[in-house]
Amino acid sequence: MSALSRSAIRSSVTPVLGVLLLWAAAGSATADSVTAAIFEHAHLGPATCASSTCHGANQRASGARILLNEYSVWQQTDPHARSYATLAGKESRAIAAKLGLGDPTTAPACLTCHVDHPPADKRGEKFLISDGVGCEACHGGAEQWISSHVDSSRPRSATLAEGLYPTEDPVARAKLCLSCHMGTPDRMITHEIMGAGHPRLSFELDTFTWLNPHYEIDADYIERKGEFNGARDWGIGQGVAASNLLEILLDERRGWHGIFPELVLFDCHACHRPMSGNQWGPRPGTGLGPGVVRINDSNLVMYRHVLAVVDRAAADDLGQATRALHQATLASRERTFAAARTLRAKIEASLPRVAAHGFGPETLGQVLDSMLRDAERGEFRDFAAAEQAALAAQSVVVAFESARQLSEEEAGPLRSAVDRLYSTVEKEDAYRMASFTDALRGLRATAR
Ligand code: HEC
Ligand code: HEC
Ligand code: HEC
Ligand code: HEC
């Protein structure tokens, strides 16, 4: 089977994508944070949504605007419904024991991501922690919109004002998913939790949005909520992840651990690799010398390629600001903070433009051109960056396939070219920049 299926992407993403493990204490949510929005109103519990006339139908409805079997889909196929049970399992107990946390099903460090966890005074009668990541963990506390949201004559903006979270908006959705799938200062996972055996977190917005869906995009959906674009979602996911990384780095409490910065913010391979030597070479995008621990810039690198499609000058500017951040880590914590603030502001300012851009079939060639320019100047010397690029090529091709922007004649050869690119990053120890660059050239030629 081709490596180019969504499940293949998911498993291949695991070893690399931005991995953030933060320390979970009962976090204080900042005014504009995801958790503040989700927990603003009381959570009534999934049982409230489950009646057979609401979202609890056994089968998808015909003729209705939505599927109406969302509850059954969630309960039967969605891992979010099992995430509390995960905490009761052997693996979780072993992790918690190593960390001295006691029972993981009551440890805030784990509950913060594995269940819907509004404050005690925001829990309705049917709310149960054991429901795991329920409807309101993503759609927001339903206290104010539970009765009104069924009235289709009301504008959506009215329901959003009552606390329904805008999951259809790609930036808002990326922030929501990444708050658990990467971590934020409110929901933290650290190198310590990782060291205790927690699986690596990996996330790609477009792929993950479509792994266990209880929604579908049809003409009616587009009319109600606007266009859905997989390539756009991939790009937005990269930008929000990069911004997230900087937000944690800028957090004096969560981003640092004693005399060290939180190690999960750095390239795992900078420390975890064999000591046989002679693997180092310069990467112009960082300007760092040998033997230096570098920030994991994989999402930053990918977002620069996304931005290159929308605005070349802004992308070059982002590249310079990323290099400035790497350089600042050699100077001082203050200089690092200043560079991270500048970079984050640039990303945040560009997100609405990227979200509004209509990524069409020409995007694939543009992204590949931008990556090839990097490759030709030695930017993919770093295994981690090369692997990210292969994943990016995969996601963009898949996004175009599922958006039916590629014909079958185009898709077949592209899949093989992506497989070939991917094979050059399959084994870290066997990685050669020259074969990667060659495969990328081949993919570029196929995409014409
Ligand atoms: C409150 C935290 C939280 C939020 C918000 C969240 N997730 Fe998750 N997600 C989890 C946890 C925890 C798991 C692991 C469940 C388990 O296996 O125990 C998970 C698992 C998944 C999986 C299954 C991954 C696999 O290994 O197969 C997918 C897909 C997924 N989430 C997608 C999303 C998307 C898309 C969003 C945003 C719309 C999202 N999640 C938002 C916590 C969250
Ligand atoms: C920042 C959010 C976050 C925190 C904090 C967190 N987890 Fe997770 N955990 C996740 C997500 C997301 C996944 C699913 C990863 C995937 O499949 O992509 C996961 C997966 C797991 C898995 C593997 C589940 C499976 O189906 O294979 C275990 C076990 C686990 N977590 C236990 C814990 C324990 C124990 C703690 C507390 C020490 C904890 N987690 C804290 C987000 C978190
Ligand atoms: C992990 C996050 C997550 C969880 C948990 C979740 N949803 Fe969703 N839901 C989404 C996303 C993402 C979408 C698609 C984007 C959109 O249209 O808002 C969506 C869409 C929907 C839609 C709208 C479909 C349309 O055509 O407009 C309904 C209805 C819905 N969800 C109901 C539920 C119910 C009921 C539950 C609990 C049984 C639930 N959701 C649990 C993330 C989630
Ligand atoms: C600055 C160097 C550094 C970075 C960067 C780093 N680690 Fe580590 N890692 C260490 C050290 C030191 C240990 C502890 C080894 C020990 O306890 O003997 C460790 C331990 C671990 C362990 C436990 C290994 C074991 O044998 O039990 C895991 C898993 C791990 N790291 C994963 C990661 C991941 C994933 C990343 C990237 C997100 C990462 N590390 C980034 C230095 C680093």
Side-chain angles (χ1 to χ4, degrees):
M1 205 192 83
S2 155
L4 249 180
S5 73
R6 284 176 188 271
S7 60
I9 288 185
R10 210 206 73 69
S11 53
S12 56
V13 168
T14 308
V16 230
L17 271 192
V19 177
L20 287 184
L21 321 154
L22 325 155
W23 185 242
S28 58
T30 51
D32 60 348
S33 75
V34 164
T35 48
I38 294 288
F39 298 144
E40 192 181 352
H41 304 293
H43 288 219
L44 310 178
T48 317
C49 321
S51 130
S52 57
T53 51
C54 300
H55 299 290
N58 287 325
Q59 285 173 0
R60 41 181 304 180
S62 56
R65 300 193 310 172
I66 59 170
L67 303 180
L68 290 175
N69 66 347
E70 292 86 3
Y71 180 83
S72 328
V73 172
W74 170 78
Q75 203 186 33
Q76 287 162 24
T77 70
D78 192 329
H80 291 117
R82 297 191 300 271
S83 54
Y84 175 85
T86 294
L87 291 185
K90 236 169 86 189
E91 205 184 339
S92 290
R93 294 194 182 279
I95 295 170
K98 285 184 198 163
L99 293 166
L101 288 175
D103 181 355
T105 63
T106 56
C110 312
L111 292 172
T112 186
C113 297
H114 280 262
V115 303
D116 187 16
H117 66 115
D121 62 344
K122 295 273 173 66
R123 296 178 184 190
E125 273 170 30
K126 292 184 181 170
F127 177 89
L128 291 171
I129 281 280
S130 56
D131 280 328
V133 178
C135 320
E136 291 159 290
C138 290
H139 292 293
E143 183 181 24
Q144 294 203 356
W145 53 261
I146 189 74
S147 6
S148 62
H149 81 293
V150 298
D151 178 355
S152 55
S153 68
R154 290 175 86 236
R156 189 162 172 81
S157 56
T159 319
L160 294 175
E162 290 164 346
L164 181 76
Y165 191 83
T167 38
E168 72 277 18
D169 173 83
V171 175
R173 175 156 31 97
K175 287 185 174 163
L176 169 72
C177 311
L178 284 164
S179 73
C180 293
H181 283 269
M182 179 176 183
T184 56
D186 295 345
R187 282 178 163 149
M188 290 283 287
I189 190 162
T190 52
H191 184 255
E192 276 190 352
I193 299 186
M194 192 115 287
H198 193 283
R200 280 168 163 241
L201 296 186
S202 65
F203 188 79
E204 194 274 288
L205 184 61
D206 181 50
T207 308
F208 273 55
T209 296
W210 294 103
L211 278 178
N212 315 283
H214 52 272
Y215 36 83
E216 63 180 15
I217 309 303
D218 51 15
D220 163 72
Y221 181 98
I222 292 169
E223 195 181 303
R224 287 180 290 121
K225 294 179 168 173
E227 286 290 343
F228 219 91
N229 183 319
R232 172 201 66 187
D233 288 2
W234 162 72
I236 290 292
Q238 296 297 324
V240 172
S243 174
N244 224 1
L245 174 98
L246 299 170
E247 184 185 3
I248 299 163
L249 184 68
L250 282 164
D251 191 298
E252 298 259 12
R253 264 180 68 221
R254 319 270 178 188
W256 298 75
H257 188 199
I259 61 170
F260 292 107
E262 185 35 77
L263 295 186
V264 293
L265 303 173
F266 289 78
D267 182 355
C268 315
H269 301 281
C271 295
H272 293 282
R273 72 175 184 191
M275 277 205 282
S276 49
N278 292 326
Q279 298 167 51
W280 187 85
R283 246 191 76 195
T286 67
L288 297 174
V292 176
V293 181
R294 55 202 171 270
I295 286 175
N296 179 355
D297 65 357
S298 49
N299 297 123
L300 281 159
V301 168
M302 283 307 128
Y303 189 58
R304 175 160 54 75
H305 296 305
V306 174
L307 206 50
V309 174
V310 180
D311 179 345
R312 257 308 281 289
D316 291 345
D317 184 45
L318 191 82
Q320 273 152 27
T322 302
R323 193 176 194 278
L325 173 68
H326 284 300
Q327 292 295 309
T329 62
L330 298 177
S332 68
R333 195 193 274 209
E334 288 66 36
R335 294 264 291 276
T336 303
F337 276 26
R341 256 183 238 110
T342 306
L343 184 53
R344 185 159 188 250
K346 286 181 196 292
I347 295 169
E348 290 286 332
S350 67
L351 282 171
R353 286 178 62 204
V354 173
H357 188 80
F359 290 86
E362 72 287 356
T363 308
L364 180 60
Q366 291 168 327
V367 169
L368 291 175
D369 277 341
S370 182
M371 292 200 302
L372 200 52
R373 271 193 297 274
D374 265 15
E376 302 290 3
R377 59 167 207 227
E379 200 59 72
F380 291 108
R381 188 173 302 281
D382 236 358
F383 169 78
E387 192 158 16
Q388 279 300 317
L391 290 165
Q394 253 187 346
S395 335
V396 178
V397 171
V398 171
F400 282 131
E401 274 201 286
S402 53
R404 297 191 192 85
Q405 291 184 353
L406 290 175
S407 69
E408 197 40 53
E409 299 86 83
E410 289 170 311
L414 267 180
R415 262 186 238 129
S416 323
V418 170
D419 283 354
R420 190 170 149 240
L421 181 69
Y422 198 79
S423 73
T424 67
V425 295
E426 224 142 34
K427 293 205 186 72
E428 177 174 1
D429 293 342
Y431 175 68
R432 295 283 169 275
M433 181 168 67
S435 350
F436 171 83
T437 306
D438 196 46
L440 190 59
R441 282 191 205 110
L443 174 59
R444 182 64 194 96
T446 313
R448 273 179 213 286

